[in-house]
Amino acid sequence: MATNHLLEINQYGQSIWLDNLTRDIIQSGELKKLVENQGISGITSNPAIFEKAIAGNVIYDADIEAGIRAGLPTYKIYESLVFADIRNACDILRPVYEASNRLDGYMSIEVPPTIAHDTEATITEARRYFQEIGRENLMIKIPGTEPGLPAVEQVIADGINVNITLLFSVESYVNTAWAYIQGLEKRLAEGKDISKIASVASFFLSRIDSNIDAKIDAKLKKGVDDIAVEAKLKAVKGKVAIANAKIAYQEYKKIIRSERWQDLAAKGAKVQRLLWASTSTKDPDYRDVMYIEELIGRDTVNTVPPATIKACADHCNVSDRLETDVDKAYTLIENLKDPDINIDLDTVMDELLVEGIDKFIQPFQSLMNSLEDKIKVLSPV
């Protein structure tokens, strides 16, 4: 029998979560098999995933019709469909949640992307989602925007599990980690238990390389006279995301060594793990599992789309690489400032955050539109 390399990854202290959710995989039993046999120990979703799952899929029609009969507006019908899937996924993951002592077994759902810059609305929706879905192994996704961080702090203080998403820069990750710590401290000051709360910080990968590679390709296309300069530019391609992630992990290690964290850990707090997101390789010239292979390490999560899960199970070369070549990672990031390369990483990260929110708003609105169309078709005349 062929080796399932996903199971090998677990031995290095990394959890593999599925970056996908559809009613089809719940009802067919495929999700249960992935959890029981393939080492999948959590699930993430986002508006783009739900758009693909719901738009044009007749499996949801009966529930849409029930929503129409109940006189629900479009948005409430959407929530009824999604919340049902989320609850079922939470139930499938429940044994993992219990067996791992609440480390894994989480299902993530995003608050509406349209409120990414509204702190109070984010807090309100996170509380409502957690209450209405009613599963303790639910994780609420909050974007790592500047207004998102005080929301993270409050929602953690409320005792709600949080997945902070759309993190691109090391600085944004560090800010997120301290928001989690401040939330725990706030909860502790209120005399409440902090041992049952979990959080992950979703650090995005392939989008960084796609953005920077496009900039490098544009420079190369213009023509570079100097062979040494051309070599410098090519040496950066496809390397920045992994280097950036390795540096973020070093920051994670500093944070958990801090006195503030140690005090919380002594009272039962769980570390906020770095979660590697956007891990499907966009460039066909790159190895299809590179964003998994290069970042395997303790106390991390990798959330992986279905095609990459199959690829990794088949041919991932599994080894603990997260802390290899760390010096080279720092050097590579520093080299971006070289006048011959001249890429401002801060600007790139800001661009990616704006784009990232937009990439969730667009499918969310598109799903609302397609749902409205379907409601018209299914509504009795």
Side-chain angles (χ1 to χ4, degrees):
M1 192 174 167
T3 303
N4 177 353
H5 298 294
L6 291 168
L7 299 174
E8 284 181 63
I9 291 171
N10 298 155
Q11 293 164 22
Y12 289 93
Q14 183 175 84
S15 301
I16 299 292
W17 291 5
L18 173 67
D19 192 24
N20 186 46
L21 183 68
T22 68
R23 189 164 291 187
D24 301 82
I25 66 167
I26 293 169
Q27 292 188 353
S28 67
E30 185 188 338
L31 184 58
K32 197 163 187 280
K33 283 179 190 163
L34 282 168
V35 171
E36 290 177 355
N37 308 325
Q38 299 283 312
I40 299 301
S41 57
I43 306 166
T44 51
S45 66
N46 61 48
I49 284 170
F50 282 126
E51 186 202 18
K52 283 181 194 156
I54 296 171
N57 192 336
V58 295
I59 203 169
Y60 291 95
D61 284 6
D63 282 359
I64 293 170
E65 287 171 337
I68 294 166
R69 285 195 299 276
L72 298 179
T74 303
Y75 184 72
K76 285 294 175 188
I77 290 176
Y78 154 76
E79 281 193 348
S80 73
L81 307 179
V82 168
F83 286 8
D85 286 356
I86 295 285
R87 285 188 200 103
N88 286 328
C90 282
D91 293 344
I92 290 166
L93 289 165
R94 181 79 196 202
V96 177
Y97 176 71
E98 289 171 355
S100 67
N101 189 25
R102 298 185 171 89
L103 180 71
D104 282 310
Y106 292 95
M107 171 73 234
S108 288
I109 180 173
E110 191 122 8
V111 292
T114 47
I115 59 169
H117 296 290
D118 187 331
T119 304
E120 289 307 315
T122 297
I123 294 167
T124 300
E125 286 298 82
R127 287 170 173 163
R128 183 175 71 83
Y129 275 31
F130 199 71
Q131 189 174 3
E132 287 191 19
I133 291 168
R135 297 293 187 272
E136 60 183 45
N137 58 329
L138 178 71
M139 216 171 232
I140 305 295
K141 285 175 95 171
I142 296 175
T145 56
E146 205 173 311
L149 293 184
V152 168
E153 186 180 324
Q154 183 55 55
V155 170
I156 290 291
D158 289 344
I160 295 169
N161 309 306
V162 180
N163 175 344
I164 301 94
T165 187
L166 290 175
L167 302 174
F168 296 96
S169 72
V170 173
E171 183 189 8
S172 65
Y173 157 64
V174 170
N175 292 339
T176 288
W178 287 111
Y180 173 58
I181 286 169
Q182 282 157 212
L184 291 173
E185 288 170 341
K186 191 172 179 180
R187 185 169 174 82
L188 199 60
E190 292 166 0
K192 294 173 183 169
D193 179 21
I194 58 169
S195 68
K196 297 183 175 70
I197 305 163
S199 179
V200 292
S202 291
F203 203 72
F204 279 54
L205 300 170
S206 65
R207 292 185 195 180
I208 294 172
D209 282 337
S210 296
N211 182 300
I212 287 174
D213 286 3
K215 287 177 167 60
I216 290 167
D217 287 341
K219 288 174 191 282
L220 291 168
K221 201 172 179 183
K222 277 183 187 172
V224 179
D225 298 333
D226 191 326
I227 294 170
V229 173
E230 187 178 342
K232 276 186 195 177
L233 288 164
K234 287 183 175 174
V236 170
K237 276 195 74 176
K239 300 266 187 347
V240 175
I242 287 166
N244 200 46
K246 288 186 174 188
I247 292 168
Y249 188 72
Q250 293 305 307
E251 291 299 318
Y252 158 79
K253 288 179 72 183
K254 286 180 201 167
I255 290 162
I256 62 167
R257 284 195 298 266
S258 71
E259 200 174 313
R260 280 174 72 186
W261 173 253
Q262 292 296 326
D263 286 349
L264 291 167
K267 294 177 176 72
K270 289 178 167 53
V271 292
Q272 180 194 60
R273 293 182 293 172
L274 269 159
L275 176 149
W276 313 126
S278 178
T279 55
S280 62
T281 309
K282 305 295 189 282
D283 189 324
D285 290 341
Y286 299 154
R287 187 164 163 79
D288 59 354
V289 289
M290 76 174 190
Y291 294 117
I292 302 176
E293 289 177 337
E294 297 301 320
L295 295 172
I296 295 168
R298 184 155 301 285
D299 292 332
T300 57
V301 180
N302 201 320
T303 186
V304 189
T308 313
I309 278 183
K310 282 181 186 159
C312 183
D314 177 64
H315 56 259
C316 257
N317 178 353
V318 177
S319 178
D320 192 345
R321 294 189 184 88
L322 184 51
E323 295 199 81
T324 59
D325 296 328
V326 173
D327 289 347
K328 286 182 184 173
Y330 281 103
T331 303
L332 187 131
I333 297 298
E334 193 59 33
N335 285 349
L336 295 176
K337 297 172 186 169
D338 182 315
D340 291 330
I341 299 172
N342 191 28
I343 288 174
D344 184 336
L345 197 56
D346 291 339
T347 303
V348 169
M349 299 312 188
D350 291 344
E351 283 172 14
L352 287 168
L353 179 58
V354 172
E355 274 174 29
I357 292 164
D358 199 43
K359 280 182 179 174
F360 286 162
I361 289 173
Q362 285 178 353
F364 180 75
Q365 290 176 334
S366 172
L367 174 55
M368 290 300 121
N369 293 339
S370 61
L371 201 49
E372 275 178 18
D373 291 343
K374 188 166 260 200
I375 288 165
K376 284 174 193 164
V377 171
L378 294 174
S379 293
V381 178

